[in-house]
Amino acid sequence: MGAVVITDGKYRSSIAAARMLGRSGRQVVVTQTRRDQRLEPPVFSSRYVREGRWLDGSAADPDYPDRLYALLAECDRPVLFCAGAATLNAVARQRERFAQVCDFLIAPAEALDALNDKEAVHRRCGELGIPVPRSFDGEPDRYPVIIKPHCGEKFGLKAKDRYAVAHNGPEFAAKYAAMLQYDPRPIVQEKVAGTGAGASLLLDREGRLIAALCHRRIREYPASGGPSTCCESFYDEEMIDRACRLLSSFGFVGMAMVEFKGDCVLEVNPRVWGSFPMTERADSPFAVYYARAAAGERLDYRPGDYKTGVRMRFTLNDCAAMLDYLRHGRPGPFFQGMADWFRAGEALGARDDPAPWRRYLRNTLLRR
């Protein structure tokens, strides 16, 4: 089997990707830009990584695509797996050039831009008959509401900073004003009650669905709403169908996660998402299918080709979430988290590859 180059090794999702691809027999090379990561990425220590390569500068540099292209040209036509959004967007804008030296499943830049725009996504959902939260022009007539920019990622915001929750008029005015520094016309929507869930899909070069996985959030940090710290796999055919129709309508190819709350679509992450390690924990063929399809192999979708009821946690983040729930007078999730010590697996851990988890702990302590 050929080589796979995984970019942006600083992201935790790169560990799961490296393991799944390495176990399948592929030679795995992982890259990381020096200015974006001071400490050695945990994935570099994986037994499934043949080589960790540092690239000078930052992924935000204008000449970063040239440095990445040069590295890819050294390999024998590898598959390119972009773990970071900056790299994904850079390659999307030079797809024809990069196609000369590697294989990949990356949507055109126009499709990525549209899917990153929450307002554009909700308009398309309306056209497709897919429910979305109610939006408000100006001050809302009911609370709580969510305030968010059209694309928080463009401003380098962390996941927890990409939106704000307002429970009343004065709170709305203050948080709306704060969001204006990122977007001159922030989106204001009702805060939908219920459990958050995601449908993660992989579409091949023809836009055909070839892999899918659903997960629901168990806990998140901060407790008021933030990235998932513990989640569980399940299967929902209707959710996958809605996500597929939405992505296909934009001409999307590659990997994406469509975020739901109840029946409503909240947003789309048209890239590798934070809970991507669930694909490894649930024995999904996601990463392997990506490499095979990128190289031109035609694969067929097999519904439910992963384990359901698998619970996964990012232990350090989950401990912070448990304490935050307790501080907010919600002891239920705290005690549920205690029980999950015996049920949920660590997202970054693996019996056959323990080094990345140890390195992650070490790096976390050094950063503190």
Side-chain angles (χ1 to χ4, degrees), residues 28-49:
V28 178
V29 177
V30 182
T31 72
Q32 178 55 51
T33 45
R34 290 187 182 277
R35 199 184 306 159
D36 297 324
Q37 176 75 8
R38 182 174 61 87
L39 301 173
E40 182 173 295
V43 68
F44 277 17
S45 63
S46 171
R47 62 179 292 191
Y48 294 108
V49 173

Side-chain angles (χ1 to χ4, degrees), residues 296-317:
E297 187 175 346
R298 186 177 177 85
L299 302 169
D300 292 322
Y301 172 56
R302 294 184 292 119
D305 58 355
Y306 59 91
K307 296 177 181 177
T308 58
V310 174
R311 191 163 289 197
M312 177 192 81
R313 72 191 303 181
F314 294 98
T315 303
L316 299 183
N317 305 75

